[in-house]
Amino acid sequence: MTQLNRVVYVTGGSRGIGRATAYRLAGPGTAVVINHFDPDESAADETLAGLAERGATAESHYYSVTDREAVETHIKAAAEKFGRLDVLINNAGITRDGLILRMKEADWDLVIGINLKGVFNCAQTAARIMTRQRSGRIVNVASVAGVIGNPGQANYSASKAGVIGLTKTLAKELASRNVTVNAVAPGFIDTEMTAVLPDKVKQAFMEAIPLGRAGRPEDVAESIAFLASDAAAYLTGQVIHVGGGLYM
Ligand code: NAP
């Protein structure tokens, strides 16, 4: 195997922002491991092919980030196989929208489970590896909804606000071991997650975004790549808003 200079783990890396991030971080000398939870492996396989094209050593892990045992087994296995773990991107996330008066308890639990507990599961596992290494980068994908709220997203906005709080606490706990923890808070990004929204909602976003367009997954990937890079060595506990000015 070629000498690896960076080992990256991206949850929810099969499509959308996760795939764009995996591609952005891929290159010769990198190992990029993606995780996903759709039993249909076609999107993950496509990402693996794209990673190979970019010269990365790539593999895909199929499990839910809510499954603590699976999280530990797979992230530890990657670190052992590739010799270390340099970067964890906690990107896996879902929406189950509904106004609070009608929101089902199951939809609350599911969203909090994947978007918030999933980040805890993966970050704790990675932190144990990274603190031993005395180096590491964790980047969490939050959302503008976690900062300003969004009608119909009580579960989602609570989960993302939780991710921001978790980011700041981990940043303080892990800084002495040279592990930085930051977040990006995307605004309205053109992925399968937003494709299902009614045209009226999309239009309202377009009118509220000063830069006048939806973000591309690659726009978010750039900020994530920066936070994961040596250039961001002196940044921790920060939230970068990638929303075309939607929130400022
Ligand atoms: P997406 O296109 O729907 O992709 C979601 C990714 O998460 C997929 O790879 C999916 O893989 C994975 N995933 C879902 N449930 C999972 C689970 N239980 N365990 C492991 N992986 C799981 O969404 P996206 O727009 O790229 O969103 C990525 C992140 O950005 C999310 O955290 C989202 O909340 C955040 N975000 C998005 C926007 C936006 O406008 N799109 C705005 C703010 C924040 P499988 O399908 O294989 O499960």
Side-chain angles (χ1 to χ4, degrees):
M1 199 197 294
T2 44
Q3 181 70 32
L4 290 174
N5 47 41
R6 192 146 78 146
V7 180
V8 178
Y9 203 104
V10 185
T11 70
S14 57
R15 51 198 172 81
I17 294 169
R19 174 189 279 172
T21 302
Y23 284 175
R24 176 63 181 77
L25 296 174
T30 57
V32 180
V33 184
I34 60 161
N35 139 274
H36 77 105
F37 191 51
D38 186 339
D40 173 358
E41 303 264 358
S42 54
D45 287 346
E46 206 181 310
T47 307
L48 285 182
L51 290 169
E53 271 169 33
R54 288 164 176 79
T57 302
E59 63 179 48
S60 165
H61 292 172
Y62 167 76
Y63 63 88
S64 173
V65 290
T66 57
D67 181 344
R68 218 187 140 71
E69 213 180 298
V71 166
E72 284 184 10
T73 304
H74 286 89
I75 294 182
K76 278 185 195 162
E80 270 161 35
K81 178 170 178 182
F82 297 116
R84 60 182 198 274
L85 176 64
D86 299 302
V87 179
L88 168 68
I89 312 296
N90 277 310
N91 165 77
I94 61 157
T95 50
R96 285 292 182 279
D97 296 351
L99 294 168
I100 190 68
L101 298 182
R102 284 197 293 268
M103 183 171 285
K104 294 189 183 76
E105 186 186 359
D107 287 339
W108 173 272
D109 289 344
L110 188 68
V111 169
I112 298 290
I114 294 173
N115 294 10
L116 182 54
K117 187 159 183 225
V119 175
F120 163 71
N121 286 339
C122 298
Q124 187 178 50
T125 304
R128 288 180 176 145
I129 298 164
M130 291 172 173
T131 51
R132 272 201 304 274
Q133 291 172 169
R134 295 284 193 275
S135 73
R137 293 289 159 87
I138 298 175
V139 183
N140 298 325
V141 181
S143 168
V144 66
V147 178
I148 62 173
N150 196 27
Q153 293 199 310
N155 48 4
Y156 184 80
S157 59
S159 73
K160 296 299 188 178
V163 166
I164 291 172
L166 181 58
T167 299
K168 294 178 181 181
T169 292
L170 297 189
K172 288 183 176 178
E173 289 190 10
L174 303 178
S176 65
R177 309 290 177 87
N178 191 31
V179 176
T180 67
V181 188
N182 292 288
V184 292
F188 184 95
I189 312 299
D190 198 3
T191 67
E192 287 175 42
M193 182 177 273
T194 47
V196 297
L197 293 172
D199 284 345
K200 229 171 62 186
V201 174
K202 289 183 191 166
Q203 192 52 39
F205 270 111
M206 290 319 114
E207 281 161 20
I209 297 171
L211 285 177
R213 65 165 175 88
R216 291 179 290 263
E218 292 75 15
D219 292 321
V220 184
E222 282 301 327
S223 288
I224 294 175
F226 166 65
L227 290 171
S229 75
D230 290 343
Y234 198 56
L235 282 182
T236 198
Q238 303 305 305
V239 181
I240 298 185
H241 283 267
V242 190
L246 181 60
Y247 168 80
M248 55 177 82

